[in-house]
Amino acid sequence: MFKEQFTYDWPNQQNAWQELLDFPLNPETRDEWLAKWDELERHYAEQRSRLHWDTMADVKSPEPLEAYKAFNRDVVPQVTDFQKEIYARWVEFDLKQVTPGWEVTTRYLKHLQREQDLIPELLQQEEEKMMEFYNASHVEQPVPAPYATEQDLLDAMDLPDRQQRQAAWEARQIHMQPLREHRVARYFELIQLRWEQARKLGFNNPLELSWERLKRHDFTLQQWQETRTTLLNRVPALLDQVHAQVARELELPEFDWVDRGHPALSKISAAYDRTDLTALHAGLRKVFQAFSPRLAEQYQELLDGGYLDLEDRRTKTTQGFADLLAFTRKPCSMMTIDASAGGLTLLLHEMGHVQHFHEMLQVHPTMLLDASAKFMEFVAHTFEVYGAHFAAESEILTPENIRILRLLTLMYRLEGMLHCAMVDLWEEWVYTTPPESLTTEALYAHWEEIAWAHHPWLMSVPEAGRNYWTNGWHVRVPFGKTRYALADLCALEFSGQMIKDPHQAFERLTAGMRLGGTLPFLGLIQACGLEFDFTPQAVERSLQAFQELAAFWGLAAEKRTDPQASLA
């Protein structure tokens, strides 16, 4: 629970919204008008964030979801009515009296006006469907024999014996089936709903609508499609090499899904476990101290204030996420942490979001924060690389652990680019195929076709592979996976700066964070000294940076096409 309490007083907020409508907006009053608007948006955003947090903190209970729905039903429509008028006033004013830094946001608000005017009920339904997707309070998930509890099953997935891990993984697929059926049904409803939204707004399909919603104003769909094609062509062979190197490090004949539970990966450190994270907290503070003393202090402050929920509770969401409490001006994050390498990487990733939110919240109005979403993932992925780079500072990882962590960090960059490109390709088909022609069977079939064509490794545990599309950010944000692939490309390019001077590079990264949403994506990454521009040459630069980072970490990647070629 957050240390700082917050109460959303709707009657008083309602009066304040009306007062803003009555307040004149002109060049002389602009700053005061914006300050009043920001105060209202901060209160509203914080209440929504806290309700979302409560829902994710207990996905096994219906009460948080009902509270979320009640707010959606009783308050959101009234706030939306006020916002429509406020947005209209601001857009009209800003188009005449251009305010530097608001270009991306004003364009988006102009679009959002239309959504709020033409499809308010559909927007509300979409929010509720997404929360229903995550909330599984009514889903029965029997634990298959011979496992007595879910925790027994999860522990068995990390056993040293590979056959026992294989059996546990297969049992896990049976255990997950009721939840997957629930999620697939909700996702199918979301697809239908988004088609209805797109058509009512005058778009040909949800792909066109999503492109506008995601504020992709500085690059075209064709540019991204060309980049995606390059990734699908170039990354698989390199990823196969990394998987082969991981297999050799673990003394395995090959590396697949089941081996993510190998003890070397599931127990990256003997200094802590899921029941006691004390040593992990101390180690991370040392890592953060190495490249950002302020981040080390902030980490402890957030822990003490209840803004980092890292407990291993089976009642909360299995997906890590970060959010911001706009009025309290605090970032927050929720995830389940154990002693696995993946858990440590996830924590570093979410701390990237936390730091980004912190930097933006101090200097920008709420309305200027969301425009930097694509840049936000770049920051988080760069934090993963920095954490692996400075892992020795933690004093809780052996040299062998650090080598494994760095190898996995390289692997995650490639997997991220490839798998996100695959999901994006699949989504493009989903959201351009008329909904009348879509069936659940067709969704599965098309995904399996893409998986077998571009990365058969995903199908090494068939049920896990074929259900890969049922999880992930793309459910909440269509085509949101694009930002993760771009993040990995840019994080790899940025690693060159980190190698040369990690402290100066981090200062440059922080300066980019502080820009918030005042620039589009390419402007933000250019502010960090990157040259990425969606050309095939830009992709090749990032892949070359991958090779150089591997070499710097003593994991030199050789340019071979043989999937069994060594990285060492």
Side-chain angles (χ1 to χ4, degrees), residues 56-317:
M56 293 298 189
D58 189 1
V59 298
K60 302 293 186 180
S61 171
E63 285 80 11
L65 178 60
E66 290 306 314
Y68 187 95
K69 288 183 175 181
F71 187 78
N72 241 13
R73 179 183 64 246
D74 300 335
V75 176
V76 170
Q78 298 183 69
V79 173
T80 299
D81 286 341
F82 283 118
Q83 286 177 325
K84 283 192 292 187
E85 294 188 57
I86 296 300
Y87 295 170
R89 289 184 66 188
W90 173 254
V91 169
E92 181 182 5
F93 171 83
D94 195 47
L95 291 177
K96 295 177 182 177
Q97 307 280 339
V98 177
T99 304
W102 278 80
E103 294 85 354
V104 177
T105 298
T106 295
R107 172 172 170 171
Y108 175 65
L109 290 177
K110 187 176 180 180
H111 165 76
L112 190 57
Q113 279 181 261
R114 295 189 65 246
E115 290 203 10
Q116 292 177 330
D117 188 45
L118 297 176
I119 58 168
E121 296 84 4
L122 295 180
L123 292 175
Q124 188 173 336
Q125 291 173 31
E126 183 179 26
E127 279 287 327
E128 293 184 4
K129 287 294 180 189
M130 287 189 292
M131 291 301 100
E132 290 173 2
F133 175 89
Y134 290 110
N135 188 281
S137 57
H138 67 287
V139 178
E140 295 288 338
Q141 288 183 264
V143 178
Y147 311 100
T149 66
E150 182 180 12
Q151 190 59 55
D152 290 340
L153 172 56
L154 295 173
D155 289 342
M157 293 170 67
D158 295 338
L159 289 172
D161 184 84
R162 194 175 192 280
Q163 288 186 337
Q164 290 179 310
R165 288 202 308 272
Q166 178 79 36
W169 268 83
E170 292 173 357
R172 178 62 168 168
Q173 307 316 307
I174 298 172
H175 179 245
M176 288 292 292
Q177 191 57 33
L179 178 61
R180 285 171 174 159
E181 290 175 358
H182 159 78
R183 287 180 170 175
V184 169
R186 300 293 81 72
Y187 188 42
F188 199 79
E189 291 170 358
L190 279 167
I191 293 170
Q192 306 293 319
L193 187 62
R194 285 162 177 161
W195 268 96
E196 186 178 357
Q197 290 176 343
R199 286 168 170 171
K200 288 192 174 183
L201 289 168
F203 292 94
N204 289 318
N205 51 57
L207 169 60
E208 292 182 2
L209 171 57
S210 295
W211 205 258
E212 188 63 33
R213 280 180 170 176
L214 293 170
K215 309 171 192 70
R216 293 173 180 169
H217 308 152
D218 55 337
F219 61 96
T220 66
L221 175 60
Q222 183 178 356
Q223 283 179 298
W224 161 243
Q225 289 169 329
E226 291 172 354
T227 297
R228 184 180 66 197
T229 298
T230 304
L231 291 174
L232 293 172
N233 289 336
R234 289 282 286 113
V235 173
L238 193 54
L239 180 54
D240 285 344
Q241 292 179 32
V242 176
H243 282 167
Q245 174 71 355
V246 174
R248 282 190 292 275
E249 292 285 337
L250 303 181
E251 299 181 344
L252 295 170
E254 59 183 0
F255 176 75
D256 63 25
W257 276 102
V258 171
D259 298 312
R260 290 180 182 270
H262 188 284
L265 309 187
S266 62
K267 193 70 173 177
I268 195 70
S269 171
Y272 66 95
D273 59 31
R274 61 186 176 83
T275 64
D276 185 357
L277 300 176
T278 305
L280 173 64
H281 297 321
L284 276 178
R285 285 195 297 270
K286 294 174 184 176
V287 170
F288 295 144
Q289 182 73 28
F291 60 88
S292 174
R294 177 68 190 97
L295 179 58
E297 295 174 11
Q298 185 187 344
Y299 182 73
Q300 189 61 49
E301 291 171 5
L302 293 173
L303 280 174
D304 293 341
Y307 298 103
L308 294 180
D309 180 354
L310 311 180
E311 292 181 21
D312 186 0
R313 297 193 313 277
R314 294 300 158 204
T315 55
K316 73 180 186 183
T317 180

Side-chain angles (χ1 to χ4, degrees), residues 445-479:
H446 196 74
W447 168 251
E448 290 183 55
E449 180 182 336
I450 289 173
W452 283 112
H454 296 288
H455 199 211
W457 180 91
L458 267 179
M459 304 301 291
S460 58
V461 176
E463 280 303 303
R466 73 186 298 268
N467 280 285
Y468 186 85
W469 64 270
T470 64
N471 298 300
W473 189 241
H474 64 283
V475 174
R476 186 175 182 85
V477 181
F479 302 97

Side-chain angles (χ1 to χ4, degrees), residues 399-410:
E400 293 77 13
N401 294 149
I402 293 170
R403 181 177 174 84
I404 287 290
L405 178 63
R406 289 175 173 174
L407 182 57
L408 293 181
T409 299
L410 293 171

Side-chain angles (χ1 to χ4, degrees), residues 257-528:
W257 276 102
V258 171
D259 298 312
R260 290 180 182 270
H262 188 284
L265 309 187
S266 62
K267 193 70 173 177
I268 195 70
S269 171
Y272 66 95
D273 59 31
R274 61 186 176 83
T275 64
D276 185 357
L277 300 176
T278 305
L280 173 64
H281 297 321
L284 276 178
R285 285 195 297 270
K286 294 174 184 176
V287 170
F288 295 144
Q289 182 73 28
F291 60 88
S292 174
R294 177 68 190 97
L295 179 58
E297 295 174 11
Q298 185 187 344
Y299 182 73
Q300 189 61 49
E301 291 171 5
L302 293 173
L303 280 174
D304 293 341
Y307 298 103
L308 294 180
D309 180 354
L310 311 180
E311 292 181 21
D312 186 0
R313 297 193 313 277
R314 294 300 158 204
T315 55
K316 73 180 186 183
T317 180
T318 57
Q319 297 185 339
F321 73 93
D323 205 344
L324 52 87
L325 303 175
F327 181 75
T328 307
R329 285 179 165 79
K330 293 283 189 182
C332 57
S333 184
M334 179 185 297
M335 66 201 93
T336 297
I337 294 300
D338 53 22
S340 69
L344 179 55
T345 298
L346 174 63
L347 182 50
L348 291 166
H349 179 102
E350 299 301 338
M351 284 305 298
H353 291 324
V354 164
Q355 180 69 0
H356 192 184
F357 288 151
H358 172 77
E359 296 295 345
M360 294 192 298
L361 277 168
Q362 312 311 312
V363 294
H364 292 295
T366 311
M367 299 304 294
L368 287 183
L369 303 185
D370 187 58
S372 62
K374 294 179 291 298
F375 180 79
M376 182 174 73
E377 296 304 334
F378 155 61
V379 172
H381 290 209
T382 298
F383 261 64
E384 294 180 40
V385 176
Y386 258 88
H389 191 66
F390 285 97
E393 302 291 336
S394 70
E395 300 180 352
I396 60 173
L397 300 179
T398 66
E400 293 77 13
N401 294 149
I402 293 170
R403 181 177 174 84
I404 287 290
L405 178 63
R406 289 175 173 174
L407 182 57
L408 293 181
T409 299
L410 293 171
M411 182 182 79
Y412 294 151
R413 303 287 69 79
L414 296 177
E415 285 186 346
M417 288 187 286
L418 178 57
H419 297 165
C420 289
M422 290 164 59
V423 171
D424 189 88
L425 179 64
W426 176 79
E427 276 194 290
E428 187 170 309
W429 170 81
V430 169
Y431 286 114
T432 56
T433 300
E436 301 81 10
S437 304
L438 286 176
T439 62
T440 301
E441 293 75 17
L443 296 179
Y444 273 105
H446 196 74
W447 168 251
E448 290 183 55
E449 180 182 336
I450 289 173
W452 283 112
H454 296 288
H455 199 211
W457 180 91
L458 267 179
M459 304 301 291
S460 58
V461 176
E463 280 303 303
R466 73 186 298 268
N467 280 285
Y468 186 85
W469 64 270
T470 64
N471 298 300
W473 189 241
H474 64 283
V475 174
R476 186 175 182 85
V477 181
F479 302 97
K481 285 290 188 180
T482 306
R483 69 180 69 166
Y484 292 91
L486 293 176
D488 281 317
L489 282 167
C490 292
L492 286 172
E493 184 183 345
F494 190 79
S495 69
Q497 296 185 42
M498 182 195 72
I499 289 173
K500 292 177 182 176
D501 190 331
H503 301 288
Q504 185 180 54
F506 192 78
E507 286 301 313
R508 195 174 292 123
L509 180 68
T510 301
M513 295 185 223
R514 289 174 181 160
L515 290 171
T518 59
L519 294 173
F521 173 66
L522 291 178
L524 291 171
I525 63 170
Q526 287 165 6
C528 295

